[in-house]
């Protein structure tokens, strides 16, 4: 296991997101999907589209319990829901940003235009090499950049929609992450966020039994249990170390800690500014603190997604140089570069985020460390619950707990 001292959480900005006031919430209008991705934590259930009245109720539950800037509309694949346009419209009319989390397979230009008219704010496309996509089988992460580019160009054609990509990272695909970070830099004008989610499974090999209430349960019933012997404890600093092999200056600025581990990076955020030709540097913790705070003062909400018309204001962001070391260094690199080649002054400067997500960690003592201030809380029976563990509620009716098999709890 990597030593977390390679990044010091005390030197980063702790994102202010919490249970009742967060950047996003997580709506699942369907569990049906047109792919069967490895690492997915939702059971694919045919014909499981929720009626629009239930979806509306869940959106109202979010409104009642949680202040949020955006709602991720996930699943399953939300584009399969027959009322997806209406769902987007309902959210947008409430002045909340609707963000579609989709594999993109069902997206057409006509549907995209309809969604734009309904008020869609952004898309997060899940694209990775273990999805079994019909025309993309056995392609590497790097080869899949061609597909990512198709989706990014579709959004760019319609205009002013935030474009993000997420991919699950496995031990055997970790080495490809720098290639994706590089690709994103070259398309910084139309790709606004890259998200890397570290692979987890429900039943790691630890000497514990699993109980729901007082009853021992078989975790093999859950879709995300896996009997293959795979690495399930990849940590965010390992991804940073891999990226730094290609981009030594790659520097995260903000994080969410674990509920059990204050120095774990459950969500680790890096922001960079550049043109399509060159990345000028990485913003620091103060920059992110100012952005979150100003957005909250201005709109009453913490910020997650931003429209391209704002992310392309890289030059204006340099006005924050007096407050943030990172942005000072971006400005210095930029002006030095313009002096050597004045044509660069006319290149657009864009902001791009790279988020690394380290989901549930199983600790030696059997504790399960979650993301503190989880942004992806969804609704279950009128309550907010972790979307990554909702299968436990569906199958067993409550969260599952660990009990040591030998009766001894290690510290
Ligand atoms: S706790 Fe689970 S649902 Fe929440 S952000 Fe972390 S991985 Fe996602």
């Amino acid at each position: 296991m990597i030593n977390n001292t390679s990044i010091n959480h005390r030197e980063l900005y702790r994102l202010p997101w919490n249970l009742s006031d967060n950047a996003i919430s997580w709506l699942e209008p369907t569990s049906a999907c047109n792919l069967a991705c490895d690492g997915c934590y939702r059971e694919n259930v045919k014909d499981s589209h929720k009626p629009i009245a239930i979806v509306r109720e869940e959106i109202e539950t979010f409104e009642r319990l949680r202040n949020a800037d955006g709602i991720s509309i996930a699943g399953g694949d939300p584009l399969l829901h027959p009322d997806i346009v209406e769902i987007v419209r309902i959210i947008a009319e409430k002045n909340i940003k609707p963000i579609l989390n989709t594999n993109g397979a069902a997206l057409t230009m006509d549907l995209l235009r309809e969604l734009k008219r309904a008020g869609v704010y952004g898309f997060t496309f899940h694209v990775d090499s273990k999805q079994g996509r019909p025309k993309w089988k056995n392609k590497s992460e790097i080869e899949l950049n061609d597909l990512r580019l198709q989706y990014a160009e579709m959004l760019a054609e319609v205009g002013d929609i935030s474009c993000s990509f997420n991919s699950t990272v496995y031990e055997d695909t970790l080495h490809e992450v720098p290639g994706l970070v590089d690709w994103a830099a070259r398309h910084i004008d139309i790709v606004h966020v890259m998200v890397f989610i570290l692979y987890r499974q429900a039943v790691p090999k630890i000497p514990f039994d699993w109980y729901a209430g007082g009853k021992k349960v078989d975790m093999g019933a859950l879709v995300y249990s896996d009997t293959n012997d795979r690495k399930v404890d990849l940590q965010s600093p390992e991804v940073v170390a891999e990226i730094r092999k290609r981009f030594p200056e790659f520097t995260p600025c903000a994080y969410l800690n674990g509920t059990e581990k204050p120095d774990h990076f459950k969500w680790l955020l890096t922001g960079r500014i550049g043109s399509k030709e060159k990345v000028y540097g990485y913003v620091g913790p103060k920059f992110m603190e100012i952005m979150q705070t100003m957005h909250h003062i201005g709109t009453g909400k913490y910020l997650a997604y931003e429209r391209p018309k704002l992310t392309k204001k890289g030059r204006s962001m340099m006005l924050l140089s007096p407050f943030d070391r990172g942005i000072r260094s971006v400005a210095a690199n930029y002006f030095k570069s313009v002096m050597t080649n004045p044509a660069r002054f006319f290149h657009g400067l864009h902001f791009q985020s790279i988020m690394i997500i380290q989901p549930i960690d199983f600790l030696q003592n059997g504790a399960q460390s979650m993301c503190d201030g989880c942004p992806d809380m969804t609704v279950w029976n009128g309550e907010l619950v972790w979307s990554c563990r909702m299968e436990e509620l569906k199958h067993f009716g409550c969260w599952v707990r660990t009990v040591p098999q030998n009766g001894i709890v290690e510290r």
Side-chain angles (χ1 to χ4, degrees), residues 11-224:
E11 291 170 3
L12 269 51
Y13 172 55
R14 201 291 190 180
L15 290 162
W17 308 341
N18 58 66
L19 186 57
S20 62
D21 194 356
N22 210 299
I24 41 177
S25 296
W26 185 270
L27 177 75
E28 292 192 10
T30 183
S31 301
C33 194
N34 43 5
L35 292 180
C37 308
D38 193 4
C40 181
Y41 51 67
R42 185 69 59 245
E43 189 176 0
N44 189 344
V45 185
K46 207 168 159 252
D47 300 327
S48 58
H49 307 320
K50 292 177 185 165
I52 193 79
I54 300 287
V55 174
R56 195 186 283 275
E57 231 172 72
E58 293 193 355
I59 295 167
E60 285 165 5
T61 303
F62 282 130
E63 276 189 297
R64 185 166 47 82
L65 297 177
R66 181 155 157 126
N67 183 34
D69 194 39
I71 290 184
S72 295
I73 311 168
D77 197 283
L79 296 186
L80 302 186
H81 196 292
D83 298 317
I84 189 58
V85 175
E86 181 59 13
I87 294 169
V88 165
R89 185 174 296 114
I90 292 169
I91 296 171
E93 280 172 357
K94 290 177 182 295
N95 209 19
I96 301 173
K97 299 170 181 171
I99 312 294
L100 278 160
N101 284 35
T102 171
N103 60 44
L107 189 65
T108 61
M109 282 310 283
D110 285 347
L111 177 58
L112 177 55
R113 289 203 177 90
E114 225 184 315
L115 290 163
K116 168 84 176 173
R117 280 194 293 275
V120 74
Y121 197 93
F123 277 75
T124 298
F125 293 103
H126 178 198
V127 177
D128 71 47
S129 56
K130 297 192 198 287
Q131 293 180 297
R133 285 177 181 266
K135 292 191 196 139
W136 298 85
K137 282 197 179 130
N138 303 319
K139 298 288 182 195
S140 69
E141 293 297 337
I142 305 302
E143 287 168 325
L144 280 163
N145 282 338
D146 290 345
L147 177 62
R148 294 185 180 98
L149 188 56
Q150 282 177 23
Y151 289 134
E153 286 176 341
M154 281 173 83
L155 297 200
E157 189 181 328
V158 172
D160 212 29
I161 302 176
S162 172
C163 178
S164 311
F165 290 94
N166 76 39
S167 60
T168 311
V169 179
Y170 303 81
E171 188 181 18
D172 63 338
T173 59
L174 176 61
H175 68 283
E176 296 195 89
V177 170
L180 271 63
V181 171
D182 185 30
W183 172 82
R186 284 183 280 111
H187 300 284
I188 198 166
D189 54 334
I190 56 173
V191 175
H192 311 111
V193 185
M194 292 294 284
V195 182
F196 298 104
I197 305 174
L198 311 187
Y199 172 70
R200 290 293 186 265
Q201 69 185 48
V203 199
K205 296 202 170 23
I206 52 175
F208 287 84
D209 288 325
W210 303 85
Y211 279 78
K215 192 165 164 251
K216 190 171 166 185
V217 295
D218 175 14
M219 289 288 272
L222 303 187
V223 62
Y224 46 84

Side-chain angles (χ1 to χ4, degrees), residues 41 267 357-360 370-371 374-377 386-389:
Y41 51 67
W267 284 51
I357 301 180
Q358 176 183 316
I360 184 166
M370 309 301 293
C371 310
C374 163
D376 294 344
M377 293 300 259
W386 297 301
S387 55
C388 67
R389 291 179 58 187

Side-chain angles (χ1 to χ4, degrees), residues 238-275:
E238 291 177 86
V239 180
V240 172
E242 192 66 31
I243 295 172
R244 281 180 177 164
K245 287 181 189 168
R246 176 101 63 103
F247 303 96
E249 286 166 4
F250 186 88
T251 311
C253 61
Y255 73 106
L256 285 181
N257 55 286
T259 50
E260 303 285 324
K261 290 281 181 189
D263 60 346
H264 274 194
F265 302 101
K266 306 296 280 185
W267 284 51
L268 184 58
L269 176 61
T270 301
R272 59 184 181 179
I273 292 180
S275 65

